[in-house]
Amino acid sequence: MSNPANHILRIRTGRVFLYISSNQSNGKLATLPEDFLKIIPHLPGAQPESLLKAHEQKPVVSIRLHTAKWHKWTASDPAVAAQQQLPIGSAVPWAEDAFYLNEKPAFIFDPLFYAGAYYVQEASSMFVDFVMRQWNKQRSPSPALLLDLCAAPGGKSTILLSHMQAQDLLISNETVPARWQVLRENLIRWGYPQFVLTQLEARYFQAIPEAFDLILVDAPCSGSGMFRKDKQMCGLWARNSVLSCSKKQSHLLQDIWPVLKPGGWLIYSTCSFSPEENEQVIDRLITETHAESIGLPVPDQWGIVTSYSPQHRAPGYRFYPDRLQGEGFYLAVVQKPVHHSNHKLKPSTKSRHRATWEITTIPPPAAYLEPSTELTCIRHEGEFYLFPSAQMNHLHTISLHIPIRQAGLCIGRIRQEWIPEHDLAMYTGLRTDVPAIALSREQALQYLQKQIIACPDLPMGWYLASYARFPLGWMKSIGHRVNNYYPKQWKIHRTLPDLD
C-alpha cells in the first residue's frame, strides 16, 4: 500500500490506525476504517499513498462572499473589502467570489457572519457554482423553477439563489426539523426573496409533475469524503452503510425524476468516495429513465478527476484532497430527454399537513425597499412577504398541492404601526438610507446576544443595527431605552471573547 519507512499500520478490530512519520504531519495519529482502506486502490483516479497522506493534513477553510451585499454596503470590490475583515487567501478556482482563508477565524464571534456577508462552505462542494454557470449558458430566458431537494444547511441553495434571475424561484426542501431551521436561517441571512421553504419527502413533489427546470440532489451518503474534516465520520462509517445509502440514493432519484421538466438538468452529488454511491447510482438512473449524461468543461489544472460510470460511461467529477484544496466530493449532471413523457405517473396530492397559502397582494413599504417591478408584496396570516411577481401563479398552484412552510422573505407586520421583520434587515434590496446605528464589534456581539445597547438621546423610531455598514437586525428607540429586536432563537449563547 505504501512505503513502510514512511507509514506504520496498526491493525485493531475493524480499524486501521495510520501513523505518518513525515514532518508534514507532525506525527499525528489518525484512524481510518479498515474496509475503507481496502477500497482506496479501486477508486477511480485515486492515488492511494498521496490520498492517505492528505488525510493527515489539516482541512482547508473556505468561504463564499455575498457579492451583492459587499457591493451594496461597502461600494468597493468585494475581495478587497473582505481582506480588511477576514484572512483572505487564494481564490477557489471553480467558484466565483470564493476564497480559502489563511487561518480559521472564530466565525461564531464575527458579526459579518450573522449579517450574511459570507457563507462558510467546504470548497469542493462549491463546484455547484461552476455547474450553475454552465446551466445559465443554455437555460431558457423565461422564469425558471428550481428545487434543492436535500438542502440543509443551505450552502448549495445560496449558490443557486446567487445565479438565479430575479423572476426565478427556488424551492428549498429539508425533511429533518432541526436541519430545516438551520436552512431557513441561512436563506434569510442570504437576503434573496426568490425561495419557498418546504419540509417534504421526495415523493410528495410528484403532485407537481414536470415542474422544475433544474433539480439539485445533494444526497445523504456514508460520508467518507469528510473523514479528514470530521473525524467522527470515521467511527460511523461501515461497508454496509455504503450499500444502504446507495439504495436510498437510487430511490430518491426515482422519486424525484418525474418532477423534472423534459430538457431539465438534474445535479447529483455526494460527499462519498464510494462508486456504489456515485457512478453506480448514475448508471441505474440512466438505465431506468434514459437520462442523458452531460459533460462539463473542467480545466485540467483544477485537479478534478473525471470518472466514467462503468455501464453507460456517464462522466462524473471526483474531488480528492491530495489533488486539490478541498475534501472528498462527487458530482454528476444528467438531463431529461426533451421528448420524455411521464405517462405512467399518477401523482398523489394527498398530504397530512396541507397548508394552503391564501395570498393577498398589497403595495410594498416604500420607506424600506428599493423600487422593484419584479417583486410583489403578499400578505399571509397577518405577515407580509416579498416574492417574485412572475411566480405568483406558480405559488398558488404549488400551495394547492404541497404544504409550504415559507414563501419569500417575511418583511414585517402591522400592529397599529409597521413592525419590520428580521428578514427585511437581511434583504439585498433594503434601502441604504434607512436610519441605522453603527456599532463597534463589541457592541455588535452584545446586540447578537440580545443585550440592550445604550444609545442615549436617540429619537424614537426604528433603526438598523449595523456593523462595518452591514445590517445585523432591528432596534427600536422608545425614548428612555432602545429595544433589541434580534430574533431570540438565533442569539449567541456563548460567552463573548475578550476583545481588548
Side-chain angles (χ1 to χ4, degrees):
M1 180 172 58
S2 58
N3 188 340
N6 295 328
H7 302 77
I8 301 173
L9 294 180
R10 301 175 183 172
I11 301 178
R12 298 184 183 176
T13 305
R15 300 275 156 212
V16 171
F17 292 75
L18 179 65
Y19 184 83
I20 308 287
S21 60
S22 67
N23 294 331
Q24 192 174 24
S25 71
N26 296 319
K28 183 179 177 182
L29 189 68
T31 62
L32 292 174
E34 182 179 356
D35 285 343
F36 173 71
L37 291 175
K38 292 178 181 178
I39 71 169
I40 287 180
H42 306 289
L43 297 178
Q47 299 172 330
E49 184 168 346
S50 63
L51 181 57
L52 286 173
K53 288 181 179 179
H55 279 80
E56 291 304 311
Q57 299 168 0
K58 290 183 178 181
V60 293
V61 181
S62 49
I63 62 171
R64 281 179 25 254
L65 300 180
H66 194 317
T67 309
K69 286 194 175 186
W70 286 92
H71 280 309
K72 185 182 187 71
W73 300 112
T74 68
S76 63
D77 179 79
V80 174
Q83 286 176 347
Q84 301 172 11
Q85 305 286 344
L86 294 159
I88 296 291
S90 60
V92 176
W94 46 81
E96 295 180 331
D97 297 307
F99 300 90
Y100 299 103
L101 299 185
N102 295 324
E103 60 186 43
K104 183 178 181 179
F107 295 115
I108 194 172
F109 297 124
D110 182 7
L112 292 181
F113 171 78
Y114 298 92
Y118 61 87
Y119 191 95
V120 183
Q121 188 171 19
E122 197 283 305
S124 297
S125 66
M126 295 182 193
F127 188 60
V128 173
D129 183 281
F130 176 75
V131 180
M132 286 301 295
R133 278 179 273 150
Q134 309 311 307
W135 177 74
N136 270 322
K137 292 176 182 178
Q138 58 82 54
R139 62 162 291 174
S140 166
S142 58
L145 186 61
L146 296 80
L147 170 64
D148 187 353
L149 184 63
C150 312
K156 295 180 180 67
S157 279
T158 63
I159 291 177
L160 300 188
L161 285 167
S162 296
H163 285 281
M164 286 163 49
Q165 297 177 5
Q167 297 284 26
D168 294 341
L169 180 64
L170 168 68
I171 295 185
S172 194
N173 180 73
E174 174 57 48
T175 59
V176 181
R179 288 173 58 82
W180 183 90
Q181 292 291 349
V182 175
L183 169 65
R184 177 176 178 269
E185 182 177 351
N186 283 326
L187 291 192
I188 288 173
R189 282 181 184 157
W190 209 244
Y192 288 121
Q194 301 103 307
F195 70 87
V196 164
L197 283 168
T198 56
Q199 193 176 347
L200 298 170
E201 298 293 339
R203 65 183 182 277
Y204 286 106
F205 286 100
Q206 293 183 12
I208 46 174
E210 296 188 347
F212 293 95
D213 299 89
L214 182 141
I215 297 176
L216 169 62
V217 182
D218 185 39
C221 65
S222 62
S224 55
M226 292 290 105
F227 282 168
R228 183 173 71 166
K229 185 178 180 181
D230 185 354
K231 301 301 182 184
Q232 291 182 342
M233 294 302 301
C234 294
L236 298 173
W237 190 91
R239 177 65 180 165
N240 59 1
S241 69
V242 170
L243 302 178
S244 175
C245 285
S246 179
K247 292 179 181 179
K248 292 177 181 178
Q249 291 151 358
S250 288
H251 287 312
L252 200 62
L253 294 184
Q254 290 170 6
D255 284 344
I256 208 62
W257 185 256
V259 180
L260 185 65
K261 283 183 180 179
W265 282 27
L266 185 144
I267 305 169
Y268 175 78
S269 64
T270 75
C271 57
S272 171
F273 289 120
S274 301
E276 294 90 340
E277 300 180 73
N278 298 322
E279 290 86 356
Q280 293 180 25
V281 170
I282 293 298
D283 263 345
R284 283 197 293 273
L285 178 65
I286 293 175
T287 297
E288 294 163 358
T289 67
H290 305 291
E292 299 170 351
S293 61
I294 293 178
L296 302 173
V298 178
D300 293 338
Q301 61 267 30
W302 288 356
I304 300 169
V305 173
T306 302
S307 66
Y308 294 90
S309 64
Q311 183 179 355
H312 293 287
R313 305 296 295 165
Y317 303 92
R318 285 180 161 266
F319 291 67
Y320 291 111
D322 58 317
R323 291 175 175 263
L324 45 75
Q325 293 189 76
E327 304 309 305
F329 186 68
Y330 172 87
L331 183 144
V333 184
V334 296
Q335 185 175 30
K336 179 176 282 189
V338 174
H339 302 294
H340 181 88
S341 174
N342 281 330
H343 63 278
K344 295 182 180 180
L345 177 63
K346 296 180 180 180
S348 172
T349 59
K350 294 181 180 180
S351 172
R352 294 177 296 173
H353 307 288
R354 177 69 56 80
T356 301
W357 273 56
E358 298 295 338
I359 301 163
T360 304
T361 303
I362 65 165
Y368 292 95
L369 305 178
E370 294 177 349
S372 174
T373 60
E374 297 172 329
L375 294 172
T376 295
C377 192
I378 60 176
R379 182 171 62 189
H380 173 71
E381 296 183 350
E383 295 182 313
F384 300 91
Y385 296 78
L386 282 182
F387 196 79
S389 303
Q391 296 287 355
M392 290 297 295
N393 289 336
H394 245 138
L395 177 61
H396 178 71
T397 301
I398 291 168
S399 69
L400 290 175
H401 296 292
I402 61 175
I404 290 174
R405 296 293 305 274
Q406 180 168 332
L409 287 175
C410 181
I411 58 173
R413 59 192 186 277
I414 296 177
R415 300 288 187 272
Q416 296 181 335
E417 65 167 339
W418 175 262
I419 302 175
E421 185 64 34
H422 182 72
D423 302 26
L424 179 58
M426 299 291 100
Y427 174 44
T428 55
L430 184 68
R431 287 177 55 155
T432 56
D433 59 355
V434 174
I437 305 300
L439 304 179
S440 67
R441 182 166 181 252
E442 181 178 9
Q443 289 175 319
L445 290 173
Q446 290 170 347
Y447 171 80
L448 294 167
Q449 281 194 322
K450 247 186 119 50
Q451 297 182 30
I452 298 299
I453 307 300
C455 298
D457 303 321
L458 189 66
M460 295 177 64
W462 288 96
Y463 296 85
L464 282 172
S466 68
Y467 172 75
R469 296 185 290 274
F470 284 83
L472 296 174
W474 296 103
M475 304 164 65
K476 185 183 182 184
S477 172
I478 57 175
H480 62 284
R481 71 176 185 188
V482 177
N483 290 335
N484 185 334
Y485 275 77
Y486 190 73
K488 61 182 180 180
Q489 69 272 25
W490 294 354
K491 72 177 184 179
I492 299 176
H493 291 280
R494 295 189 185 181
T495 302
L496 297 180
D498 186 356
L499 299 177
D500 293 338

